[in-house]
Amino acid sequence: MNQGKIRTAMATKAGTCAGAGCRRREAAGQAARLAVSGTVLCLPCRERLARELRQLPALFEECARRLDFSADRERDRVSGGSLPGLPLNTAAVEARSAIVSVLASWSAAVAQERGVAAPTRVVARLAGFLLRHIEWLAAHAAAGELSREVAQLARGAARVVGPGPNRRLPIGGCVEDGCTGRLTATVRPDQPAVPAEIICDVSAEHRWLGHQWVQLSRRLGARRDPAGAGDGAAAEAAETSADGPPVAAGATRTRWFSAADVSRLWNIPSGSVYRHASQQQWRRRTSQGRTYYHDTDVHRTLSALRRTA
């Protein structure tokens, strides 16, 4: 849904369900079921809508655990980003963004039409808000559109988090001096508890885990432009992090990470990120309403904690 106001639903035959399930039935050559009296959804489509709204918060969080790797080999190439040269699961990024955008749009529309306060842009709260108004929504002319959009969100997120075979994603040449090996990331999408790692095919000692990828990324960038000057350096300095603010061309490259970035790379709760940022007075920047932390401060604090542990 792209508008702040609920749009008029597409015309359907009188009494027939406009929900996602019945649209799929019609596409398969079967007749749509009859809508419940006073609504535009049949009972199965309404129950499906409620079930998928309840599932979306968990799917949203699970997608966050899959952000490090591409869902398929065709999407492994990353240009720029907070960790240039390392694989990013763009399908997970897109799924999470779509979930927030669609749920927030529908929640704002419900709030406007019903004269109630809209929830904050937190997926669990947005989904819960829509569930509390599901009876009103089922009777709205646009209920079929909501049903189809939520079903699309659930399918997209499920494809991202669904189990799959281990994948080996090429990163590039090893950064260790004198090593002729190639770096490969081992992906275990069906084992999220197993830490991802990047290993050299010549020496198993050349190995990096998630929290070490920032340093590896720097070294990969240095190999691409060892002089640190010229058009290549200026272009890299002008890049923007995956979510962060831009860095001026010609300036020394500094990476800025969101709390979600830090949580994912160092495998710590988001609450711990905010606590360390406050206690250790991390440098921060704000862009488009989001806060980003200086990578040097992040690395200094969390590396010290890891050594102590």
Side-chain angles (χ1 to χ4, degrees):
M1 180 179 180
N2 298 320
Q3 304 295 328
K5 182 177 180 181
I6 295 182
R7 298 194 300 266
T8 301
M10 292 182 292
T12 59
K13 296 178 181 179
T16 60
C17 175
C22 284
R23 283 300 169 90
R24 290 177 69 90
R25 286 172 61 90
E26 290 180 322
Q30 300 175 341
R33 292 178 288 257
L34 292 178
V36 174
S37 178
T39 77
V40 295
L41 298 178
C42 66
L43 185 58
C45 283
R46 175 174 164 171
E47 291 176 344
R48 172 178 175 171
L49 172 60
R51 182 175 64 254
E52 289 173 336
L53 283 172
R54 287 191 291 267
Q55 291 172 345
L56 284 179
L59 287 170
F60 180 83
E61 294 302 324
E62 187 62 29
C63 282
R65 301 186 182 96
R66 307 300 176 95
L67 288 173
D68 292 324
F69 298 102
S70 294
D72 55 68
R73 294 296 293 266
E74 295 300 321
R75 308 180 73 170
D76 289 343
R77 296 186 298 274
V78 177
S79 176
S82 59
L83 299 175
L86 299 183
L88 174 69
N89 189 342
T90 54
V93 173
E94 292 167 0
R96 283 169 59 84
S97 176
I99 289 172
V100 174
S101 177
V102 171
L103 294 187
S105 294
W106 282 100
S107 295
V110 171
Q112 179 182 358
E113 295 205 10
R114 304 210 73 184
V116 298
T120 56
R121 289 174 67 91
V122 176
V123 169
R125 294 179 181 177
L126 293 168
F129 177 81
L130 294 176
L131 279 167
R132 289 194 297 275
H133 294 272
I134 196 166
E135 290 187 8
W136 180 85
L137 283 165
H140 198 284
E145 185 179 355
L146 170 63
S147 171
R148 294 189 294 274
E149 289 190 3
V150 169
Q152 185 176 7
L153 293 177
R155 285 197 304 272
R159 282 195 295 268
V160 172
V161 305
N166 289 352
R167 297 183 178 90
R168 293 172 58 82
L169 308 178
I171 301 300
C174 185
V175 298
E176 297 294 346
D177 292 339
C179 184
T180 60
R182 306 290 296 177
L183 298 179
T184 301
T186 301
V187 189
R188 301 177 178 89
D190 57 339
Q191 302 178 56
V194 178
E197 58 187 359
I198 296 175
I199 303 178
C200 173
D201 60 4
V202 169
S203 174
E205 295 180 357
H206 301 165
R207 177 175 176 268
W208 294 263
L209 297 179
H211 68 279
Q212 300 169 314
W213 290 0
V214 176
Q215 290 71 43
L216 175 59
S217 174
R218 289 184 180 136
R219 297 178 69 181
L220 288 166
R223 285 175 62 98
R224 286 195 295 270
D225 187 7
D231 294 340
E236 184 179 11
E239 288 175 351
T240 303
S241 74
D243 292 308
V247 181
T252 301
R253 167 96 177 175
T254 297
R255 293 188 176 88
W256 298 84
F257 297 108
S258 68
D261 292 331
V262 178
S263 175
R264 174 166 52 89
L265 291 170
W266 291 84
N267 194 29
I268 61 175
S270 296
S272 297
V273 176
Y274 296 123
R275 177 169 55 84
H276 291 313
S278 176
Q279 292 176 346
Q280 302 300 321
Q281 298 183 335
W282 290 353
R283 285 167 285 182
R284 65 190 66 196
R285 297 179 67 174
T286 301
S287 177
Q288 298 179 344
R290 298 188 63 185
T291 300
Y292 302 87
Y293 301 105
H294 197 290
D295 66 339
T296 301
D297 297 341
V298 173
H299 183 259
R300 181 179 62 249
T301 297
L302 299 183
S303 292
L305 289 173
R306 190 172 292 275
R307 285 195 298 270
T308 301

